[in-house]
Amino acid sequence: MTGNRTFTMIKPDAVENGHIGAILEKITAAGFKIVAMKYTQLSLRDAKAFYAVHSERPFFGELVEFMTRGPIVAAILEKDNAVEDFRALIGATNPAEAAEGTIRKLFAASIGENAVHGSDSDENAAIEGSFHFAGREVY
Ligand code: GDP
């Protein structure tokens, strides 16, 4: 059985470029319901913890620097088959390889600065959602 929630962030590049509204429009038009949302900025400690799984990767320093350089929008989204459907909506990690019409194809510039995050499993969706939101902030 697949879960019905995923976690997303609109990353600093997309916020800086004024794409919050357009990205939220794509998300809701695709049938996702926003059940939690906040405008916030990751601290260095937050970003290192959130991306701990990538800590040995060569791009880790760059990733942490990017993700902390400005505000983000964090949200929990609800829809049947949420994780898989949201990954399809955002497209490949590298926008150059992302399908036409996907959020990364439309709004991202590079593999590092790729506009949005989407959880890669139901388990990580739950962990990442809890990282950003207390139970009372989820509606
Ligand atoms: P995702 O699940 O599609 O977000 O991709 P990954 O889990 O593989 O990577 C997490 C995030 O790390 C990506 O969304 C990018 O922001 C960043 N990232 C991945 N690969 C690279 C890379 O080669 N260079 C840089 N600078 N960042 C990367």
Side-chain angles (χ1 to χ4, degrees):
M1 199 188 109
T2 58
N4 67 344
R5 282 187 179 175
T6 191
F7 171 77
T8 188
M9 292 181 286
I10 300 177
K11 297 184 178 183
D13 59 326
V15 172
E16 286 160 12
N17 293 326
H19 297 316
I20 294 174
I23 290 173
L24 291 177
E25 173 60 26
K26 293 280 290 178
I27 290 171
T28 52
F32 291 88
K33 182 182 169 204
I34 296 165
V35 297
M37 185 161 72
K38 67 174 70 162
Y39 190 50
T40 184
Q41 183 163 355
L42 297 178
S43 68
L44 202 56
R45 183 167 176 264
D46 291 333
K48 284 181 176 171
F50 189 90
Y51 285 110
V53 64
H54 294 304
S55 61
E56 301 304 317
R57 308 281 284 276
F59 59 80
F60 185 65
E62 225 171 272
L63 175 60
V64 165
E65 190 178 335
F66 162 56
M67 286 302 297
T68 57
R69 82 170 182 222
I72 61 161
V73 176
I76 298 174
L77 306 173
E78 203 167 81
K79 182 185 183 297
D80 286 348
N81 202 35
V83 165
E84 199 180 319
D85 286 3
F86 193 71
R87 298 280 294 188
L89 179 67
I90 67 178
T93 308
N94 185 349
E97 292 162 12
E100 288 301 327
T102 59
I103 291 175
R104 282 170 168 166
K105 185 70 170 188
L106 289 167
F107 301 112
S110 69
I111 190 167
E113 303 203 2
N114 59 4
V116 278
H117 169 82
S119 305
D120 64 4
S121 66
D122 290 341
E123 188 191 3
N124 284 336
I127 292 168
E128 292 168 1
S130 308
F131 184 90
H132 284 268
F133 297 97
R136 64 172 295 278
E137 295 177 295
V138 182
Y139 298 93

